[in-house]
Amino acid sequence: FTSEMRGAIDSADPQFLVITLEDGRHRLTSITVPPHESGLASTSPSRATGAQEPRRIGVRAGPRPTQFAGALAPGTTDVYLLFVPKGQRLEVRLERVGRAAIVRVHQTPTGAPLNPRMPNGALVVSGRSSADGDYRIEVAHAAAASSEYLPYFLSVDVR
């Protein structure tokens, strides 16, 4: 990092940085871009269409889940795609949102929920994949009356 970048990181709002301790060293594992002045975050849907391209993600092997950070505008949904081999246990956990957001996980293209007992979403969704394929992970802002961006952490674990 340049000295300007290090200064920006040092003075950044902590909700936009994820720093973990690995092998005795601090490691910056995720950066979330704050909302633009226009009111749209870089991951927010288009105002004109309401559509958003899913973000393809991968998870690292290891004892801890992979984390992703984001910020939802009111009434919006962030969408992720993850390939999961048949029979693997997938756990998706939404953190630091209280009850202001939910996560839904469905197999694509069938639309079958990962866990049939949680078709409408929850803060934690887990289950075994029924087939090789992509799973659609949706993080939805549930507090429709809110006018503020909602920062969140998404933890994804495949075993």
Side-chain angles (χ1 to χ4, degrees):
F1 293 116
T2 65
S3 60
E4 292 84 11
M5 179 67 83
R6 283 193 299 273
I9 291 171
D10 287 342
S11 64
D13 187 335
Q15 70 184 358
F16 295 111
L17 298 176
V18 178
I19 299 173
T20 59
L21 184 63
E22 294 181 14
D23 299 324
R25 298 177 64 184
H26 285 90
R27 180 175 165 199
L28 180 63
T29 56
S30 179
I31 298 174
T32 300
V33 178
H36 298 289
E37 288 190 27
S38 67
L40 293 176
S42 60
T43 58
S44 293
S46 160
R47 281 185 196 253
T49 65
Q52 175 195 5
E53 285 294 316
R55 175 180 167 200
R56 168 105 19 215
I57 59 172
V59 297
R60 66 178 177 267
R64 294 184 306 196
T66 303
Q67 285 193 325
F68 302 92
L72 291 170
T76 64
T77 301
D78 283 350
V79 181
Y80 302 87
L81 284 179
L82 173 67
F83 179 84
V84 181
K86 180 179 180 177
Q88 294 289 301
R89 183 178 177 279
L90 172 62
E91 180 177 289
V92 180
R93 180 179 301 270
L94 190 56
E95 301 176 25
R96 300 186 184 178
V97 295
R99 299 234 178 252
I102 59 168
V103 65
R104 294 182 291 259
V105 183
H106 293 90
Q107 184 183 31
T108 58
T110 67
L114 174 67
N115 187 330
R117 291 181 285 166
M118 299 175 198
N120 297 321
L123 291 175
V124 179
V125 177
S126 64
R128 293 220 176 262
S129 60
S130 59
D132 285 348
D134 284 335
Y135 281 77
R136 181 181 175 97
I137 300 168
E138 298 177 349
V139 179
H141 198 303
S146 173
S147 63
E148 296 183 14
Y149 276 84
L150 177 66
Y152 67 86
F153 286 105
L154 184 69
S155 295
V156 181
D157 192 20
V158 178
R159 294 188 190 267

